[in-house]
Amino acid sequence: MLLIKNGMIVTAEQRFRSDILCDDSGIIARVGPDIETPTGCHAIDASGLLVMPGGIDPHTHMEMPFMGTTASDDFFTGTAAGLAGGTTSIIDFVIPGQGQSLFEAWYDWRGKAEKAASDYGFHVAVTHWDAQVHEDMGRLVREGGVNSFKHFMAYKNALMIDDSIFLRSMQRAKELGALCTVHAENGDAIAFLQAQLLAQGETGPSSHPLSRPAAIEGEAARRAITLAELGDTPLYIVHVSTEEAVQAIAAARLRGLKVYGEVLPQHLVFNESVYHGNEWLQAARHVMSPPFRHRIHQKALWGGLSSGQLQTTATDHCCFCQDQKMRGRDDFTRIPNGVPGIEERMSVLWHYGVVNGRLSAEEFVAITSTNTARIFNLYPRKGCIAPGSDADLVLWDPSASRTITAGALHQNVDYTLYEGMTLTGLAVKTISQGMVVWDEGTLRAERGKGRYIRRPALGRDHRL
Ligand SMILES: [Zn+2]
């Protein structure tokens, strides 16, 4: 048993001083003032700290095979790094191979994830269509504990699907009570622009953002929303990075559509200047899609978060080391797309969101944990501090500062986007399944301790 005493509990709704008793099965048994320490129970004094639901990162890619290589953080190192940063659950992506059955792919990824240190679930990508996909989607929802499917409007000749496949998948997801998620960028336009830039000899990383202008995301977001409206089904747009997409989501919500938007902290903090004036490697380390944008978009993303039009934050954590990024030395379209960030996410959002006055602590909990739990039907097991919820908690020092360096982080990658930045707000202790796994700088993540979390289908009345 574990007793957390004297902390200030912060949920998505309120803050109050209380103790929390976690039982041996990793569940919160009691929340209340002045709980006596049962015999044999380990007690932690959380005076001066905030006690919040552990973070949930609904967008990671651990050990994902992509662009001819494999993301360097595996399910153990990546989830362990998450724990060190206060994140206690992830939802990763199953990406089926060319023509592979979705169910088979899901089974493979279940195997890979057995080494995870924290709890996890999966979205499954629909990258083609046939009768098997139709059947597998049903099996995944009914037997697999999957309630969300991913669609790529980008990555032509690889993961991209056309609108008719997207509509078929939406229709099927609706029957099953599953949520469609989408990477909204116009893949045809990107392929056209990439080819044109390469033909002009523009082979460096500064061409990456030029091949994926903001309008291309705006168009795809509007199109995805139109398709969801046609299919009368909810839609979750991952890594929203442009003002156009935020406006499309807000407009759809005003029309009564269930459209949700996710933001990555790196898009809130960095702008397109990272691709210019930097040496090749430094620029390549920022190559991810969608790319970093002009400052005007950051303002819209913050506005989306603080107004509630955008509901969640994720990282798209997908690590590639120097030798992997070098694959694109002579051709920017071959630079593996992806950046790290699961370990830094909570601190970055606290620092730039709460310390800078854009978000309240309660809103921070909502966008780092609770909203995600609600949208993906993990609530109140996750994202909640109440009897019966999983004892996944973070003890947070709201005023401690540290300077970020890659060497001090636990992600299995040779850089951090936030190198040298001093951030205020820090996970002092992280509790997963009722056990202290991150303890003032000591990581006690255990290989294989993470559990696969089944997410039931969503009801017709499902809403954030
Ligand atoms: Zn992604």
Side-chain angles (χ1 to χ4, degrees), residues 59-61 64 93 150 152 183 238-239 289 316-318:
H59 191 156
T60 64
H61 300 282
M64 178 173 73
F93 291 85
K150 172 77 177 281
F152 292 90
H183 173 142
V238 305
H239 50 44
S289 298
D316 204 355
H317 183 82
C318 189

Side-chain angles (χ1 to χ4, degrees), residues 120-340:
Y120 58 93
F122 288 117
H123 315 279
V124 177
V126 172
T127 53
H128 64 287
W129 194 264
D130 57 24
Q132 184 72 45
V133 175
H134 182 272
E135 192 182 315
D136 282 351
M137 286 176 76
R139 210 172 153 199
L140 285 165
V141 174
R142 287 190 301 266
E143 300 167 31
V146 170
N147 68 14
S148 49
F149 293 94
K150 172 77 177 281
H151 306 81
F152 292 90
M153 298 169 90
Y155 302 118
K156 191 177 181 181
N157 300 324
L159 304 170
M160 184 171 118
I161 52 163
D162 63 24
D163 293 352
S164 67
I165 294 179
F166 199 178
L167 278 167
R168 281 172 188 267
S169 183
M170 283 178 171
Q171 206 165 53
R172 180 64 172 146
K174 185 185 171 185
E175 279 169 18
L176 297 165
L179 180 60
C180 286
T181 76
V182 63
H183 173 142
E185 284 186 297
N186 183 323
D188 272 318
I190 292 165
F192 173 82
L193 292 173
Q194 284 178 331
Q196 202 160 60
L197 284 157
L198 287 175
Q200 291 160 0
E202 300 292 336
T203 58
S206 60
S207 293
H208 176 68
L210 299 178
S211 69
R212 315 180 89 100
I216 269 174
E217 178 180 316
E219 182 278 329
R222 285 190 297 273
R223 179 155 43 101
I225 290 167
T226 302
L227 299 179
E229 193 166 7
L230 270 175
D232 182 28
T233 176
L235 180 71
Y236 178 98
I237 304 183
V238 305
H239 50 44
V240 173
S241 74
T242 61
E243 184 178 29
E244 289 91 326
V246 178
Q247 283 175 351
I249 291 167
R253 292 173 65 83
L254 284 170
R255 293 202 305 279
L257 304 182
K258 288 186 202 174
V259 178
Y260 307 109
E262 168 194 282
V263 189
L264 314 182
Q266 58 267 37
H267 281 136
L268 294 165
V269 174
F270 300 106
N271 61 61
E272 62 192 351
S273 66
V274 296
Y275 301 112
H276 308 291
N278 268 327
E279 49 146 346
W280 187 90
L281 179 62
Q282 196 51 22
R285 281 174 164 167
H286 290 83
V287 168
M288 66 162 294
S289 298
F292 296 100
R293 306 290 192 189
H294 188 274
R295 279 192 177 81
I296 199 164
H297 299 287
Q298 294 173 343
K299 208 174 162 201
L301 297 178
W302 280 116
L305 277 178
S306 60
S307 67
Q309 301 302 330
L310 303 174
Q311 296 76 30
T312 66
T313 57
T315 57
D316 204 355
H317 183 82
C318 189
C319 299
F320 297 107
C321 294
Q322 177 171 351
D323 59 317
Q324 297 176 294
K325 290 285 186 183
M326 289 297 280
R327 296 172 66 86
R329 190 73 185 90
D330 304 315
D331 176 350
F332 72 94
T333 67
R334 294 178 184 277
I335 301 170
N337 279 220
V339 302

Side-chain angles (χ1 to χ4, degrees), residues 2-184:
L2 179 70
L3 180 63
I4 302 154
K5 290 201 67 79
N6 310 317
M8 177 64 78
I9 297 181
V10 184
T11 69
E13 291 88 22
Q14 56 177 333
R15 67 185 84 183
F16 54 100
R17 197 165 292 285
S18 190
D19 299 344
I20 302 174
L21 182 66
C22 312
D23 71 17
D24 285 330
S25 56
I27 307 278
I28 295 174
R30 273 182 71 193
V31 179
D34 307 318
I35 300 177
E36 296 268 325
T37 311
T39 41
C41 174
H42 177 53
I44 296 173
D45 182 17
S47 300
L49 301 177
L50 306 179
V51 183
M52 303 187 285
I56 306 171
D57 188 337
H59 191 156
T60 64
H61 300 282
M62 305 305 175
E63 59 190 283
M64 178 173 73
F66 190 51
M67 297 179 75
T69 182
T70 300
S72 60
D73 240 339
D74 68 20
F75 278 92
F76 172 61
T77 58
T79 52
L83 292 170
T87 288
T88 50
S89 302
I90 62 167
I91 311 177
D92 203 277
F93 291 85
V94 172
I95 315 278
Q98 201 98 53
Q100 189 187 18
S101 130
L102 270 59
F103 195 84
E104 221 173 79
W106 171 83
Y107 191 81
D108 288 353
W109 290 69
R110 287 289 308 274
K112 287 199 256 189
E114 274 177 7
K115 59 176 102 54
S118 78
D119 287 352
Y120 58 93
F122 288 117
H123 315 279
V124 177
V126 172
T127 53
H128 64 287
W129 194 264
D130 57 24
Q132 184 72 45
V133 175
H134 182 272
E135 192 182 315
D136 282 351
M137 286 176 76
R139 210 172 153 199
L140 285 165
V141 174
R142 287 190 301 266
E143 300 167 31
V146 170
N147 68 14
S148 49
F149 293 94
K150 172 77 177 281
H151 306 81
F152 292 90
M153 298 169 90
Y155 302 118
K156 191 177 181 181
N157 300 324
L159 304 170
M160 184 171 118
I161 52 163
D162 63 24
D163 293 352
S164 67
I165 294 179
F166 199 178
L167 278 167
R168 281 172 188 267
S169 183
M170 283 178 171
Q171 206 165 53
R172 180 64 172 146
K174 185 185 171 185
E175 279 169 18
L176 297 165
L179 180 60
C180 286
T181 76
V182 63
H183 173 142

